Structures are given as C-alpha cells and as structure tokens.
Amino acid sequence: MRVLIAKDYEKISREAAQIVYELVRRKPNCVLGLATGSTPLGLYRELVKMHKEEGLDFSNVKTFNLDEYYGLSPEHPQSYRYFMNENLFKGLNIKMENTMVPDGSVKIGELEQYCRRYEELIKQAGGIDLQVLGIGGDGHIAFNEPGSSLGSRTRLVALDENTIEDNSRFFDSSADVPRFALSMGVATILEAKEIIFLATGAKKADVVAKALEGPVTSMITASALQLHPKVTAILDEDASDSLSRVAFYRFAADAEQKAGARLF
Ligand code: GLP
C-alpha cells in the first residue's frame, strides 16, 4: 500500500485530486466511485476548481456512490444524493444521469433486486476505475460496520450505535439519524481497480493504524484494503500518529520522487 502523509488538509485534498485528474485526462469516460462524509469535501472542491480553471472535462465520466441512508428520499437535505449534488456534481459538467447514488426510498420488498441491479450497473459500466474512501470511527468503509462479511455485496445494513452518534452532527439530533442504509459491500469495493483512502484528524489515528497495519478482520472493515493491490492512503499527520511505520512511509514517498514511479 502507498501511504502518503501530508502536512495539512489542503495538501491531502490536492494529492487526491491529482490522482483523479490524471485518470480523467487519461480516460475521459472513466468510472469513479465516490464517498460522502466531511473528509472528501476538500477533494471535491479541488475537482470543481480543476473543472472551472483548467477545463477538466467530466462530460463522459460516470460515478457510483458507496452508500445512502435508507428511508431518506433523494431530495432530503441529509441524503447522500443531496450531499453529492451540492458538493460536487453541481460544480462539474457531469451529466446527472451518469451519477449513481443508491436510492434510499426504494420499497423494502424491492430492495434485494434493486441492490443486485446496482451491482450490475457497475459491471455494465466496466467496473469502477478509481474508488474514493473515507473511514468511520469504528473502522467502516462505506457503511460496512464491524462484523460485515469481507465478501459482502451491495445490500441493506443496520447502522452501529457509534456511527449514529458520529453522524448525528449532520442532523438535528441522533434520534433523526436513520437506523439503516444501503451500502456497497466490502467485496464490491475491493473490485475497484484503484482506491484512494483518505483520513484526517487525531480521532481517526487509532482506527487508521488498525486498518493499515493491524490484522485483516471484519471487525475493522477498512483493514480489507490490505488485500487490494492498488491503494493509496493519504493521511494528515494527526491521523498517522498511531502508525508504527511512519519513517518507512516517508522514506518510500521520497524514493517515489527519485524513481519517478508510484510504489504500491
Ligand atoms: C459515513 C460514510 C463513510 C465515511 C464516514 C466518515 O459513515 N458512510 O463513507 O467514510 O461517514 O465520515 P467523515 O469523513 O465525516 O469522518
């Protein structure tokens, strides 16, 4: 895994945006996997800037989001669809029909079929070229809470109490946070051709160390990223504080510059 430790949030966001930029330039009809949460907001701001100032063209790009609260309609201001429209899609020249976010208002009886279809759409698009990921306080990626099978696919999941508490900052109270979500599975995520994993802040340090350097376990679903051949973890100094191999990561990042190649 490439582990890059950046000085501050702006650098992290720019580093991540650069990877997306190169992909979109190289493959204008690429498929991006996108995440919500506060961590990727800087990356999204950078992408909007790259579109506006450098003409980065998203007109043939397709996107698939990781997850959505179950029970919230796409128009709900706390829905992930609304978040993506406001924080990214509106600022790009992407076609809205090319942006996929799981629909949290699908009827319960239709969910299984709906989730299977979501997976099929990813396959039909040629698979996800680059997946952006954050990490939840309990080590989740997307909404794959501790105990989620590492072989899981897109499905309805129950949210952990910690996640409800963490995410209550976006709602009026924790009672308003939905208890369920639709989420890509761990196995779905691992099929992406490349992954960018972003984490910031001291609160994430211990869980980031478990994810990157601990055993692969369904109790920290982000640890499954160790099974993927092409992951770039981009962290700020606070989030990297509990890692045991920081000196090596810095050395490898330096070596990359000299080699002029990315070292996974
Ligand atoms: C939610 C999302 C995750 C995201 C996490 C972290 O739980 N489902 O995809 O990684 O929030 O959010 P933040 O970046 O705000 O810490």
Side-chain angles (χ1 to χ4, degrees):
M1 194 183 295
R2 281 175 91 207
V3 180
L4 306 179
I5 301 166
K7 267 236 139 29
D8 54 37
Y9 184 60
E10 215 158 281
K11 288 229 169 63
I12 291 181
S13 303
R14 260 194 257 131
E15 193 81 52
Q18 187 59 29
I19 297 175
V20 179
Y21 178 91
E22 284 167 22
L23 172 66
V24 174
R25 275 280 149 95
R26 192 173 70 244
K27 187 176 177 188
N29 62 345
C30 65
V31 180
L32 300 177
L34 300 175
T36 53
S38 46
T39 312
L41 280 173
L43 159 65
Y44 296 158
R45 275 195 292 270
E46 285 295 322
L47 293 178
V48 170
K49 209 162 120 198
M50 285 168 162
H51 166 63
K52 298 228 150 90
E53 291 174 8
E54 298 171 54
L56 189 63
D57 180 15
F58 288 82
S59 61
N60 290 308
V61 171
K62 270 196 179 160
T63 66
F64 287 89
N65 262 75
L66 289 167
D67 47 13
E68 177 62 283
Y69 288 115
Y70 185 61
L72 298 193
S73 70
E75 297 77 35
H76 193 289
Q78 262 72 45
S79 73
Y80 284 169
R81 159 56 78 181
Y82 190 91
F83 175 99
M84 291 309 301
N85 288 354
E86 291 302 307
N87 292 300
L88 183 64
F89 301 145
K90 272 186 177 174
L92 305 175
N93 66 333
I94 196 162
K95 298 186 184 98
M96 283 308 267
E97 66 268 27
N98 284 346
T99 67
M100 267 61 73
V101 180
D103 183 349
S105 63
V106 170
K107 289 197 203 93
I108 195 95
E110 292 164 15
L111 270 184
E112 220 182 296
Q113 203 189 346
Y114 178 82
C115 290
R116 216 174 308 136
R117 177 94 188 115
Y118 199 72
E119 296 255 345
E120 264 165 36
L121 287 175
I122 296 174
K123 279 208 185 86
Q124 278 167 21
I128 290 170
D129 290 298
L130 180 64
Q131 176 68 57
V132 176
L133 289 180
I135 183 170
D138 61 6
H140 68 227
I141 44 176
F143 269 133
N144 293 289
E145 299 287 31
S148 295
S149 163
L150 301 186
S152 52
R153 315 292 320 189
T154 303
R155 69 210 184 285
L156 180 70
V157 294
L159 299 183
D160 193 275
E161 251 178 86
N162 293 313
T163 300
I164 292 170
E165 211 37 59
D166 276 356
N167 291 1
S168 63
R169 66 202 144 114
F170 300 110
F171 292 80
D172 288 339
S173 77
S174 53
D176 294 327
V177 184
R179 266 45 187 169
F180 297 92
L182 300 181
S183 177
M184 278 191 204
V186 178
T188 321
I189 293 168
L190 291 182
E191 279 171 9
K193 291 167 197 132
E194 181 169 356
I195 293 174
I196 308 178
F197 170 80
L198 304 172
T200 59
K203 264 175 74 183
K204 299 272 176 79
D206 288 348
V207 84
V208 163
K210 284 182 187 153
L212 304 191
E213 294 180 340
V216 174
T217 167
S218 65
M219 296 310 286
I220 305 280
T221 53
S223 67
L225 297 178
Q226 295 175 37
L227 300 170
H228 194 283
K230 222 173 169 195
V231 177
T232 301
I234 314 178
L235 316 170
D236 67 2
E237 288 183 347
D238 287 342
S240 67
D241 222 27
S242 301
L243 291 168
S244 65
R245 285 168 55 76
V246 168
F248 173 77
Y249 304 136
R250 291 195 188 280
F251 167 78
D254 224 46
E256 274 200 349
Q257 307 278 341
K258 288 180 190 126
R262 290 156 70 192
L263 306 175
F264 286 98

